[in-house]
Amino acid sequence: MSQSSATARKAAYWFLAVCCGALLAMGGFKAYEEFGPSKVSIEAVPFGLSSAGSVARGDSPDLNAGVSGLPVQTQAELRRAVELSHGGNYQAAIEIFEAIVMIYPDVLKVQWEELNTLFEKNALSEREEYRLKQFVELLKARYPGGVAMYIESRQAARASDLSLALQFAQVAAEKAPALYDARLWFAKLLLKEGRLAQAAAECHVAISLSAGADPRAYEIMAKLYHDQGLLDSSSAVVEYALTQFPVNMELRLLQGYLAEYRGHFDAADKIYQRILALDPSFTKASEAAATLGEKSPPGTGAAVSLTPRDRAQMAVDILSPLVERYPENLPLREALGLSYLKGREFDRARIQFQEILNRDPEYPDIRQRLQESNVTKPAPVSAADGLAANLNRALDSIKGTNAPSKEHDFTTMLGHYLVRYGATPGEFFKKYAIGNFRPIRANVWQETFFDGSYKHTYTVVFDSLNHFREVHVVVSDSSVRANHMGMAPEIYTRLLKQNSRISGIGSSTGETDCGDSVVLDASVWETQDNFEILARVVGKPSEVRMVRFDKTALPPGLKLCDYIPYLKEF
């Protein structure tokens, strides 16, 4: 009996010990959560960290503190400025940041974004240098840890000391692990130093910290894969990121490079031309278009890297003597023509295909080959020809400084004619060449042009007193075949982004059922004297319509569906 009671007592002691241990462990865990290092929760996003979890906050400040207290319109302008900065339009972003800082000088998010934008801009004015110095001193004094190290790294990079910048960036990432800009900057410097594996790890963290909401992290990730020769992985990143950021220039440019590596020169050229249509000053795209067919894929496996044109020339060197020796062998001649076509020597390809057609009009697909050599763009001009063309254009611009404009630049796309409402036709056509327009009825003029696969039709309307009052825009995309997964088609999102860069952020109406099976998705812009509406009919993915009005000419009290007759008028 005494033995059983001793055993029971021993078991009770063990049970109490286990319970006390569990309570101590739970208390320790709670204490760690309460007093230990804080963490930032992250989501699982494509190309980010492999799973959801958390990242230690360190001494990262809360950049969003105070933002929710700003007026809604100011928050929208702040988001627009950040988007402009991330897209490389630094001057416009700085102007918006300055305006917000003047009214709300203590909001950290605005100070931080303007600081980063000033660091990104290459040439600063004296005023911008002064503002940069102010922000540097203010933020380094307020946040002496990771933020100060990050700023030191940016300053070292401005002084062209990349090794010191890299050291400071590493310290900043260690002290403020949840500071997104510090991790992204560290990844950029690692990429420049060729430390690709470490740069990729930082990119994964940066993408997760931003929840996939910033295209810059995807740009670096895609370039990392590209520089390692992992073109399939780079293409996967690019294609996914472009679904989220369809007008990002760097991603589109890389998409063009990848198309060239696969030999899809026409697709690559179309991509470059679309980039230049959105931003004519983007020099990387113009350089890429000028060297079309001359790029070779990166990689470390080959001692000599041949461009597609070089490989085509090798085939020409082999086939040309054979064709001379056996001129009746039409398959040989076709192979030579195809080699010329691959090397973008279209005139020589056309000669070979024409010779085949003359000898055998029934030769398979020969008319299609001949058509391909006729419709494809010629090879880029040489450097000397380019210089002569530039000089001729400069001379023409000097001669025609006061002549009416015959072409649209970015600022005048989507019917944004730089003419005041109320102007007479004489004033309007003094600014824009009348030869571009045709009269379609009294006081109504229309012009049509193509931009890649987009057909633009702009209709300018004057009232009965011959005063300029409204512009109707119709843009259709000939390459669209279907509306995918119920999402807004690319043409709508692209034109919405484009008009937002010209007119500012509009107000989205969402999808509205207007009856008769017409569902309208639109955005509107309204100022004191101007009203714009950009709209698409759900189920018609290839067409976008827009109307710009003199606001005084609009009847009062119109609702969204009331604009349908105006949208469909021309």
Side-chain angles (χ1 to χ4, degrees), residues 26-281:
M26 185 178 296
F29 179 73
K30 291 292 185 183
Y32 179 82
E33 280 192 330
E34 183 71 25
F35 304 106
S38 62
K39 295 186 177 182
V40 175
S41 298
I42 56 173
E43 304 174 9
V45 294
F47 303 102
L49 295 174
S50 56
S51 61
S54 60
V55 174
R57 180 179 291 278
D59 59 11
S60 307
D62 183 4
L63 294 177
N64 292 317
V67 173
S68 59
L70 298 175
V72 175
Q73 185 62 34
T74 304
Q75 292 184 43
E77 285 299 306
L78 177 57
R79 288 193 296 270
R80 176 171 172 252
V82 171
E83 184 178 337
L84 288 169
S85 177
H86 293 175
N89 197 344
Y90 302 126
Q91 189 58 48
I94 288 171
E95 291 173 2
I96 297 173
F97 288 137
E98 284 188 7
I100 298 175
V101 167
M102 287 178 63
I103 305 172
Y104 305 98
D106 298 324
V107 178
L108 175 59
K109 175 74 172 177
V110 187
Q111 298 171 349
W112 182 255
E113 293 294 349
E114 184 172 355
L115 171 77
N116 283 302
T117 305
L118 290 168
F119 273 131
E120 291 292 338
K121 190 179 178 186
N122 289 326
L124 300 181
S125 65
E126 289 185 12
R127 172 181 169 77
E128 290 167 344
E129 288 282 4
Y130 177 72
R131 289 184 65 82
L132 177 61
K133 183 180 178 182
Q134 279 188 316
F135 284 128
V136 165
E137 293 174 353
L138 173 67
L139 295 175
K140 283 172 67 175
R142 189 185 300 174
Y143 305 103
V147 170
M149 289 296 100
Y150 168 74
I151 294 173
E152 290 284 359
S153 177
R154 298 302 299 253
Q155 288 181 301
R158 279 176 64 84
S160 301
D161 191 344
L162 291 183
S163 61
L164 183 60
L166 187 61
Q167 293 175 30
F168 279 130
Q170 184 171 0
V171 175
E174 292 169 355
K175 286 181 173 291
L179 186 60
Y180 168 73
D181 290 290
R183 304 302 289 261
L184 187 71
W185 173 245
F186 189 29
K188 276 186 180 180
L189 294 177
L190 290 168
L191 177 61
K192 288 182 180 180
E193 291 292 314
R195 293 161 60 176
L196 303 183
Q198 196 174 353
E202 289 298 317
C203 260
H204 288 308
V205 176
I207 289 172
S208 292
L209 285 172
S210 69
D214 187 347
R216 296 175 299 170
Y218 288 107
E219 290 173 21
I220 297 175
M221 180 65 75
K223 287 175 183 175
L224 277 168
Y225 287 136
H226 172 270
D227 292 352
Q228 294 178 82
L230 304 174
L231 302 185
D232 289 340
S233 298
S234 180
S235 181
V237 175
V238 168
E239 295 305 324
Y240 169 77
L242 284 174
T243 64
Q244 308 299 310
F245 314 101
V247 294
N248 183 274
M249 305 299 179
E250 292 290 345
L251 291 169
R252 284 287 177 197
L253 183 69
L254 194 51
Q255 185 187 38
Y257 290 164
L258 294 168
E260 278 197 69
Y261 301 152
R262 294 190 292 267
H264 301 161
F265 300 118
D266 288 338
D269 185 56
K270 185 177 179 181
I271 291 168
Y272 300 144
Q273 297 308 320
R274 283 193 173 186
I275 294 173
L276 291 171
L278 288 170
D279 185 2
S281 64

Side-chain angles (χ1 to χ4, degrees), residues 531-549:
F531 180 87
E532 301 172 17
I533 177 170
L534 178 78
R536 70 181 183 98
V537 176
V538 176
K540 292 185 177 180
S542 64
E543 183 179 271
V544 173
R545 290 177 175 265
M546 180 177 180
V547 187
R548 298 181 59 241
F549 294 100

Side-chain angles (χ1 to χ4, degrees), residues 385-542:
D385 292 336
L387 177 60
N390 288 338
L391 290 173
N392 288 334
R393 281 194 293 271
L395 183 59
D396 290 341
S397 68
I398 293 171
K399 290 178 180 178
T401 301
N402 298 318
S405 174
K406 294 184 178 179
E407 296 181 357
H408 287 275
D409 61 15
F410 177 80
T411 60
T412 59
M413 293 293 279
L414 298 179
H416 284 271
Y417 297 106
L418 303 179
V419 179
R420 64 177 178 86
Y421 286 127
T424 64
E427 292 176 85
F428 185 92
F429 293 119
K430 188 176 181 181
K431 186 82 173 177
Y432 297 98
I434 195 171
N436 289 357
F437 295 82
R438 60 185 181 90
I440 60 173
R441 67 186 193 209
N443 301 329
V444 179
W445 297 76
Q446 192 174 81
E447 69 165 329
T448 300
F449 63 94
F450 284 86
D451 178 19
S453 64
Y454 289 3
K455 179 184 179 182
H456 292 249
T457 302
Y458 301 163
T459 306
V460 179
V461 179
F462 297 86
D463 63 16
S464 58
L465 299 177
N466 268 338
H467 293 154
F468 174 46
R469 291 302 179 202
E470 59 194 78
V471 180
H472 297 252
V473 174
V474 181
V475 184
S476 56
D477 185 358
S478 60
S479 67
V480 170
R481 295 182 181 177
N483 197 357
H484 300 288
M485 298 180 293
M487 298 172 61
E490 180 186 8
I491 182 175
Y492 179 74
T493 55
R494 174 170 295 182
L495 296 182
L496 178 59
K497 288 264 189 181
Q498 185 172 354
N499 200 64
S500 296
R501 291 176 64 188
I502 299 171
S503 298
I505 301 297
S507 300
S508 175
T509 64
E511 295 186 1
T512 304
D513 190 348
C514 294
D516 295 329
S517 301
V518 176
V519 179
L520 208 62
D521 185 12
S523 287
V524 298
W525 293 258
E526 189 170 4
T527 62
Q528 186 174 353
D529 62 349
N530 180 64
F531 180 87
E532 301 172 17
I533 177 170
L534 178 78
R536 70 181 183 98
V537 176
V538 176
K540 292 185 177 180
S542 64

